[in-house]
Amino acid sequence: MPPGPEHQVLKSLLGAWALAACAPAEADAVEEHLGVCGPCADEALRLREAVGLLQRPESLDLKPALRTRVLETCLERRPPRIPVPDWAAAYDAETARLDALLQDFGDNEWHAPVRLRWYEGDEASSRRTTVAGVIAHLMTVDGLVAVALGLEDPLGEVRPERPTPSDRTEAYWRAARFPPTRSVRGPWREQSHRLIRTVSFTGSDTGRMTVPYGDFALPLHDAMLDRAFECWVHAEDIAEAVDYPYDPPAGRHLHEMVDLAARLLPVVLEHRRHHGLAAPVERRLVAAGEPGRSLRLEIEGSGGGEWLIPLDSPAAKGSAEHEVAHVALDGAEFCRLAAGHVPPREAAAGQEGDREAIRDVLFAAASLSRM
């Protein structure tokens, strides 16, 4: 008797299952099928062995670019019935990568000390926690997106003093009877799956809705990218704490993260100027949409490109004709600067032009870590 449609569907999922890229329900269905179908079980074993050969022995995850290429090839052969929006793809990829890092952790790794870092004003700040505490932090801040989408808030009945990422995290940590343990992985991962499913089902128009962060707000598509960025940055923190290697995101996703940071820089620069942390504008403010003094930000390597950052007003237009400074950085290094992990004075590989403008932009980039 020829295989039925259900068999064909489950067989088509074997590649994604071998990469641990199936949704939980799909993974359960595949594994149940493997218990009764010898040919598929043999094929699944062959695919899992092939995945193992693709990985470096010391790494817990595939290279981001390889994972992206394999998934794209699978999706070309079997397009998803409900695709993930492009603006949520980075979050989907980075949460999957972090989950792959966590999957073999023992109790010792979950309690390994981690130091969260950021810039407050012009000063480096940090907060000590554990690997489990970092995952709790990601879950509570991702909860801002969940609440905006009408989903359950991971804080439950806990009420932070202010609805900011840092206050939400501190409130969660304080309310816990014991420090977070490995048990936080399940709720965090289930929430990330729910976020992806929800934005996929509601369609691309959802990306224009707003996610409040307490002191500011972002459109949903930028908030999902921000959460992908934070997931990668804190995955690096975790990997460093347990002495595992961890690669930057795939080039396309890294480019999107750099672009988000570059778009936020003029607003942060203006905020710092109002608080006396950046040089005042020496002439009248540039009208909205008009060209003004600009810094050319050149990002090299994976995720690279060029951005013209307006210096005199967040509403001004970046202009090559009005360029007064040029800064060149590697893409991953720029993102680490924006995460508060690299001192601004040590960040730029190449600098040319107005030194004051360069300083202001580099410190504004580091200040993104507190947003």
Side-chain angles (χ1 to χ4, degrees):
M1 183 175 178
E6 182 180 2
H7 175 274
Q8 294 300 328
V9 170
L10 292 171
K11 185 177 181 181
S12 71
L13 288 171
L14 290 179
W17 175 84
L19 285 167
C22 283
E26 290 179 328
D28 290 344
V30 168
E31 288 163 9
E32 183 178 347
H33 175 68
L34 296 181
V36 297
C37 180
C40 283
D42 291 340
E43 177 70 3
L45 180 61
R46 186 182 67 80
L47 289 171
R48 270 287 166 89
E49 289 174 348
V51 168
L53 292 174
L54 289 172
Q55 292 179 284
R56 295 185 308 205
E58 70 273 17
S59 176
L60 291 180
D61 194 17
L62 298 175
K63 282 185 173 291
L66 177 59
R67 182 182 188 277
T68 300
R69 288 200 302 271
V70 172
L71 287 177
E72 286 176 347
T73 300
C74 291
L75 293 175
E76 285 174 2
R77 298 181 62 180
R78 178 180 174 265
R81 286 172 294 177
I82 304 172
V84 174
D86 288 343
W87 44 266
Y91 178 80
D92 190 22
E94 292 309 308
T95 51
R97 287 212 299 144
L98 175 52
D99 192 50
L101 174 69
L102 299 173
Q103 65 182 350
D104 293 324
F105 277 16
D107 288 338
N108 287 341
E109 285 90 352
W110 279 99
H111 294 291
V114 180
R115 190 164 291 280
L116 302 179
R117 293 166 285 170
W118 67 91
Y119 264 75
E120 192 86 51
D122 286 350
E123 300 297 326
S125 300
S126 65
R127 174 72 155 82
R128 183 184 172 92
T129 184
T130 63
V131 168
V134 174
I135 300 304
H137 165 63
L138 288 173
M139 181 176 69
T140 57
V141 183
D142 286 1
L144 290 167
V145 181
V147 171
L149 289 170
L151 301 175
E152 181 182 355
D153 189 341
L155 288 182
E157 298 301 317
V158 175
R159 291 291 175 263
E161 292 182 12
R162 300 169 64 239
T164 63
S166 58
D167 279 13
R168 284 175 61 86
T169 300
E170 294 290 347
Y172 182 91
W173 286 341
R174 284 195 305 269
R177 292 184 58 192
F178 303 101
T181 66
R182 65 190 309 156
S183 63
V184 74
R185 179 190 173 198
W188 164 74
R189 191 62 177 127
E190 178 54 34
Q191 177 178 257
S192 68
H193 281 311
R194 283 199 304 270
L195 291 178
I196 291 297
R197 286 196 296 268
T198 301
V199 299
S200 299
F201 274 102
T202 52
S204 58
D205 289 344
T206 311
R208 291 193 289 269
M209 70 181 294
T210 298
V211 178
Y213 277 66
D215 293 330
F216 63 97
L218 290 175
L220 176 61
H221 54 78
D222 282 348
M224 293 294 286
L225 191 52
D226 166 71
R227 301 318 308 144
F229 170 76
E230 287 286 315
C231 185
W232 162 49
V233 166
H234 290 316
E236 278 200 338
D237 291 334
I238 290 171
E240 181 181 345
V242 297
D243 198 25
Y244 280 120
Y246 203 80
D247 293 317
R252 173 164 57 92
H253 296 158
L254 188 62
H255 179 86
E256 292 170 351
M257 295 174 188
V258 172
D259 180 69
L260 174 62
R263 287 188 283 115
L264 292 174
L265 276 176
V267 177
V268 176
L269 188 57
E270 181 71 5
H271 176 79
R272 286 175 54 81
R273 185 177 292 122
H274 284 163
H275 288 80
L277 297 173
V281 177
E282 295 180 358
R283 59 178 186 173
R284 66 176 179 83
L285 289 177
V286 178
E290 293 297 318
R293 288 191 319 137
S294 302
L295 177 142
R296 178 158 54 98
L297 176 64
E298 180 182 356
I299 301 300
E300 301 169 337
S302 179
E306 288 191 359
W307 288 261
L308 286 165
I309 311 299
L311 299 171
D312 296 329
S313 168
K317 179 182 178 182
S319 168
E321 293 181 1
H322 294 78
E323 180 182 317
V324 299
H326 173 210
V327 169
L329 297 94
D330 171 75
E333 190 75 355
F334 174 73
C335 287
R336 294 185 183 108
L337 169 66
H341 289 192
V342 175
R345 292 184 178 87
E346 302 175 10
Q351 304 179 7
E352 185 178 34
D354 187 323
R355 311 306 295 180
E356 195 171 63
I358 291 171
R359 179 199 178 280
D360 285 346
V361 168
L362 291 179
F363 273 88
S367 297
L368 288 167
S369 62
R370 200 52 176 163
M371 290 186 67

